[in-house]
Amino acid sequence: MFSFSNISSYHSELQAASFTCVEAVEFYLENIRKQQHLNAFVHVFEAESLERAQQLDCRRGNKEATGRLHGVVIAIKDVICYKDHTVTAASGILKGFKSLFNATVVQRLLDEDAIIIGICNCDEFAMGSTNENSVYGATKNALNETKVPGGSSGGSAVAVQAGMCMVSLGSDTGGSVRQPADFCGIIGLKPSYGTISRHGLIAYASSFDQIGIFGKNVDDLRHILSVINGMDDHDSTVAQFPARVFPSSPAKKTIRFASFQNAIGHSSLDPEIAEGIKDIAKKLVQAGHKLNNIDFGLIDFIVPTYYILSTAEASSNLSRYDGVRYGYRSTSGNKDLATFYKKSRSEGFGKEVKRRIMLGTFVLSEGYYDAYFTKAQQVRNILKQQTEKIFSANDIIIMPTVPTTAFTQGAAAGDPVSIYLADIYTVYANLTGIPAISVPLFKHSNGMPFGLQLLSKRFDEAILLDCATMLMQNYSSN
Ligand code: GLN
């Protein structure tokens, strides 16, 4: 009988013929079928993944070389292009659109023998924190179906949470991997800006977007990150060093942790979450690590800066959806070209995406550009400088991932600003380009999980992964 604990032991068991890739895929397909009501997947590749599993079993049986992700069952968010498969960014404007090429990450997964089992639900164009802004409807949190799984990569998080795949990919522009990981009680990693190619990732805000990974244990994230990172001729923003590997290694004996007093003391933070983080900080000091409490006065500028810059970039990126070249086209009453554009975009995009396009267009408009866009760029620069300074004397910043546990379904409707404000702890890493991971250490008295967020200096994913392993081993209360 198939069961999964991590990729390394899965590989040993395949070699020992304890089970086959076909059995693994059958197991996940069955779990997907049984939990269809969670709405985590928008497409499931049943026949195709079984066929690929069969081929892999055959190749292994013939003693052919096996890839680093041999038979690993992965799901991907509906913003990542998989050749000849539908990709829609959960938007009506891309209804029925098929990818013409593989995203670099997809190509790298396939080259190492991974099996892509399906495409996961998300917020439209990755804009949101609840997975409720999807043309396919909301995804539910498997731990409590009255709660959201978080967003925007909610489907990818639930796919891992509820055992519908081994690992999954999402995208993180302002927290969309870490926040759903926090709400679902799993691990979510956003690597540094420039660690993973975004070629074939549908753009939301290009100076923030990064592909991220969900899993239930740190070693699985190491496997995936080792395969998908590294330079790519198709994306000039990827760091120009060769692909790195991230083998398991023990955490440093003495880690210099930093904590922002203004983050832990923030009025929006649930007191129980604050206590949980303070308690871990205390235990880390008792274990011989250092803790530096920093006064970080910029905390309340972070969310406005993010929403000005990300919507500005989104308004530009999404201008390509004009009804001419892609997806949805309005066919009635188009008396002139302007009306045609207006109708196609008004009918094709959902409410939240339209709100952001309008906000982004406003902050870029003549007369407001300096007051909003330029100002926000200045704040971003100051944030980057301060962050560099912090990491000259500290290894890891600890923070909550989200100020509360998972929101109740429907609670976001009508109050987008309160939902934006809940991004306070995640958007910092995207504004500064540093890597961050949410580690599921805690359980709230309301029954929902929450995580501890770790952040390190740019391109030091290794220390995050080592520290996350150490924390999971020593301090997990789940
Ligand atoms: N909550 C953030 C937003 O709505 C997250 C977006 C993301 O990371 N894709 O913009």
Side-chain angles (χ1 to χ4, degrees):
M1 167 68 180
F2 174 80
S3 71
F4 176 77
S5 58
N6 59 60
I7 294 173
S8 301
S9 59
Y10 171 59
H11 281 164
S12 317
E13 294 188 70
L14 283 177
Q15 291 303 344
S18 309
F19 41 68
T20 62
C21 296
V22 167
E23 283 171 300
V25 170
E26 277 169 348
F27 171 86
Y28 290 112
L29 288 173
E30 178 62 18
N31 275 352
I32 293 173
R33 261 193 301 272
K34 282 197 305 223
Q35 302 178 95
Q36 241 165 23
H37 65 286
L38 297 176
N39 203 18
F41 281 83
V42 297
H43 297 290
V44 181
F45 310 134
E46 205 169 316
E48 193 183 302
S49 49
L50 280 170
E51 195 184 314
R52 187 162 163 85
Q54 217 157 32
Q55 286 163 1
L56 293 171
D57 285 336
C58 240
R59 289 204 334 236
R60 206 176 54 259
N62 293 338
K63 306 262 177 289
E64 289 175 38
T66 54
R68 287 186 286 168
L69 298 179
H70 185 84
V72 172
V73 179
I74 298 188
I76 59 177
K77 180 177 180 179
D78 190 26
V79 288
I80 298 175
C81 293
Y82 183 11
K83 190 170 192 277
D84 298 330
H85 295 74
T86 308
V87 64
T88 68
S91 178
I93 210 150
L94 277 171
K95 191 168 171 228
F97 180 78
K98 279 205 170 141
S99 296
L100 303 173
F101 60 91
N102 278 333
T104 297
V105 287
V106 167
Q107 194 56 52
R108 289 182 181 173
L109 293 175
L110 295 175
D111 289 348
E112 293 291 345
D113 290 355
I115 300 170
I116 298 179
I117 196 162
I119 306 291
C120 290
N121 203 353
C122 58
D123 284 303
E124 185 178 1
F125 283 98
M127 298 175 186
S129 306
T130 63
N131 211 132
E132 293 169 306
N133 308 329
S134 164
V135 75
Y136 304 104
T139 300
K140 291 179 178 155
N141 191 316
L143 278 171
N144 178 342
E145 294 177 17
T146 68
K147 302 287 179 191
V148 304
S152 62
S153 316
S156 301
V158 174
V160 168
Q161 177 198 36
M164 298 189 255
C165 60
M166 296 173 185
V167 280
S168 67
L169 294 186
S171 64
D172 190 314
T173 304
S176 281
V177 167
R178 289 159 288 151
Q179 186 255 24
D182 175 283
F183 281 7
C184 292
I186 59 172
I187 310 173
L189 170 72
K190 179 203 90 76
S192 312
Y193 187 78
T195 285
I196 297 176
S197 164
R198 288 100 39 88
H199 174 64
L201 169 71
I202 294 181
Y204 161 12
S206 307
S207 76
F208 298 81
D209 296 339
Q210 181 61 199
I211 288 170
I213 310 164
F214 292 98
K216 279 191 174 161
N217 64 77
V218 181
D219 275 348
D220 289 353
L221 269 67
R222 293 178 187 279
H223 272 94
I224 304 297
L225 185 62
S226 301
V227 166
I228 63 178
N229 85 96
M231 56 192 184
D232 176 18
D233 287 345
H234 297 296
D235 181 355
S236 59
T237 66
V238 184
Q240 292 304 300
F241 35 76
R244 291 170 286 161
V245 285
F246 296 90
S248 186
S249 61
K252 288 207 303 191
K253 272 234 149 54
T254 312
I255 301 172
R256 298 168 302 167
F257 287 101
S259 169
F260 295 165
Q261 276 162 345
N262 332 52
I264 302 290
H266 201 270
S267 58
S268 66
L269 182 59
D270 177 305
E272 219 176 291
I273 298 182
E275 276 319 303
I277 311 275
K278 280 187 206 156
D279 187 50
I280 283 286
K282 210 161 57 199
K283 288 182 176 146
L284 289 169
V285 173
Q286 281 162 3
H289 300 290
K290 299 244 175 331
L291 181 71
N292 191 2
N293 284 312
I294 294 177
D295 181 16
F296 193 72
L298 289 169
I299 193 100
D300 284 318
F301 293 93
I302 289 178
V303 169
T305 304
Y306 167 77
Y307 275 94
I308 289 170
L309 297 176
S310 64
T311 56
E313 292 183 21
S315 71
S316 163
N317 271 328
L318 271 60
S319 65
R320 74 190 71 181
Y321 306 102
D322 54 8
V324 177
R325 289 165 295 180
Y326 298 94
Y328 181 78
R329 166 181 298 196
S330 173
T331 48
S332 62
N334 297 317
K335 52 181 183 349
D336 53 41
L337 190 61
T339 315
F340 167 76
Y341 286 150
K342 204 190 276 178
K343 287 191 67 182
S344 296
R345 287 168 66 81
S346 303
E347 292 163 16
F349 286 131
K351 202 167 157 188
E352 180 62 24
V353 171
K354 281 189 264 197
R355 182 175 8 248
R356 295 195 191 199
I357 291 174
M358 285 190 279
L359 179 58
T361 307
F362 174 75
V363 300
L364 287 175
S365 60
E366 204 188 339
Y368 293 102
Y369 188 94
D370 281 342
Y372 293 103
F373 188 74
T374 309
K375 242 306 164 320
Q377 291 282 33
Q378 286 164 346
V379 178
R380 188 178 198 181
N381 276 336
I382 297 171
L383 280 169
K384 281 187 182 166
Q385 284 159 11
Q386 292 208 356
T387 304
E388 225 167 273
K389 220 155 110 199
I390 291 167
F391 284 118
S392 64
N394 299 281
D395 302 309
I396 285 184
I397 300 171
I398 54 170
M399 250 200 263
T401 308
V402 194
T404 66
T405 54
F407 319 132
T408 300
Q409 298 271 358
D415 191 5
V417 174
S418 75
I419 297 297
Y420 297 168
L421 288 170
D423 290 337
I424 180 165
Y425 301 123
T426 47
V427 295
Y428 169 61
N430 306 80
L431 280 161
T432 53
I434 61 174
I437 189 167
S438 181
V439 190
L441 295 184
F442 309 99
K443 194 162 186 170
H444 196 279
S445 60
N446 65 15
M448 296 309 286
F450 63 96
L452 173 71
Q453 188 182 193
L454 311 174
L455 306 95
S456 70
K457 72 167 187 282
R458 195 155 173 219
F459 299 124
D460 202 354
E461 281 84 1
I463 195 171
L464 280 190
L465 295 167
D466 295 345
C467 186
T469 305
M470 182 272 281
L471 287 161
M472 292 275 283
Q473 277 167 358
N474 299 328
Y475 305 107
S476 173
S477 56
N478 287 317

